[in-house]
Amino acid sequence: MHLSMKRGVPLFGLEWHGVPCLCWGGVALLAAMLTFDVREIGWSYLNGSGLVIPGTSNVLGTAGLYGAGIFYWMLGGMAWMLVILLEWWGLYRLLHHGRLPRSVVYGGLFLLLFGCLFLTAGHVPGNEWVARHQIQGAGGLAGHLLGTGLFLPLAGRSAVLAFSGLGYLLALVYAAGMRPRPFCRAMLREWRAWRMNRKEKKTGATDRSACQGSCPREGQHGRCRFVRSQAG
């Protein structure tokens, strides 16, 4: 089995077998989160209300109930992004012959951290959602430690939102398997092409309007267009 870090990160010690593990892991986590009810957890650290509903309605049973609860507690709303990342890592391996570069993995991990910080600073998705899941904030424990405990007292809410938003976008580029400089260059080329195309359309519309004003009849308009094309 190839273990070279130059080719990729062998998650769980697997190469091709890591594809179904990641994909099915994402599906399992999604199912557990969709049927999660914090009131069914008997662990007081995750369910501090003191009300415990006997039994569990989670499709994955007790393991799914506590697994979803722990991820909600750690990541808050970004637990849903973890589902997307697991599916994306599996798809990336499938499309790249079992390879998963370190930049894609680390980009995904930083994506979660910056997302937790942004949710905590922006109070998204709201206090009602936080209270229903009984977590420390919209960004979970990670957002609480980074935001409430570190960056928010030092820089303020607006600065933290800007910092975490830019960091999230940068991490998203790496998580998608790209690099910032080539990505920015490609975006700049697309913007320049769009601007040039818009300018040409605007110039063409102006020329047609001027031609129609000076050549009211269809025949003269055709000759005017022919003369202009010959002159060009």
Side-chain angles (χ1 to χ4, degrees), residues 26-37 58-61 63-69 72 80:
V27 172
L29 181 58
L30 176 62
M33 291 172 60
L34 286 174
T35 56
F36 172 75
D37 189 346
N58 198 287
V59 295
L60 298 183
L65 175 66
Y66 279 87
Y72 270 129
W80 294 98

Side-chain angles (χ1 to χ4, degrees), residues 35-99:
T35 56
F36 172 75
D37 189 346
V38 69
R39 297 172 299 175
E40 298 174 348
I41 295 181
W43 188 17
S44 61
Y45 201 77
L46 296 179
N47 182 9
S49 64
L51 175 64
V52 179
I53 299 177
T56 177
S57 59
N58 198 287
V59 295
L60 298 183
T62 305
L65 175 66
Y66 279 87
I70 290 174
F71 280 117
Y72 270 129
W73 172 68
M74 292 176 57
L75 302 174
M78 288 303 292
W80 294 98
M81 179 57 69
L82 180 60
V83 174
I84 299 176
L85 282 176
L86 290 175
E87 297 295 331
W88 166 241
W89 287 339
L91 179 62
Y92 192 97
R93 282 201 155 200
L94 181 64
L95 297 177
H96 294 81
H97 308 287
R99 294 179 58 240

Side-chain angles (χ1 to χ4, degrees), residues 10 94 116 125 132 144 192 201 210 212-213:
L94 181 64
C116 290
R132 186 169 67 248
H144 179 75
R192 287 176 176 174
K201 288 183 178 179
Q212 289 174 358

Side-chain angles (χ1 to χ4, degrees), residues 8 26 33 41 73 89 109 116 120 150 157 169 194 226 228:
M33 291 172 60
I41 295 181
W73 172 68
W89 287 339
L109 296 179
C116 290
T120 300
L150 181 60
R157 181 182 177 185
L169 293 177
W194 172 82
F226 175 75
R228 188 178 5 259

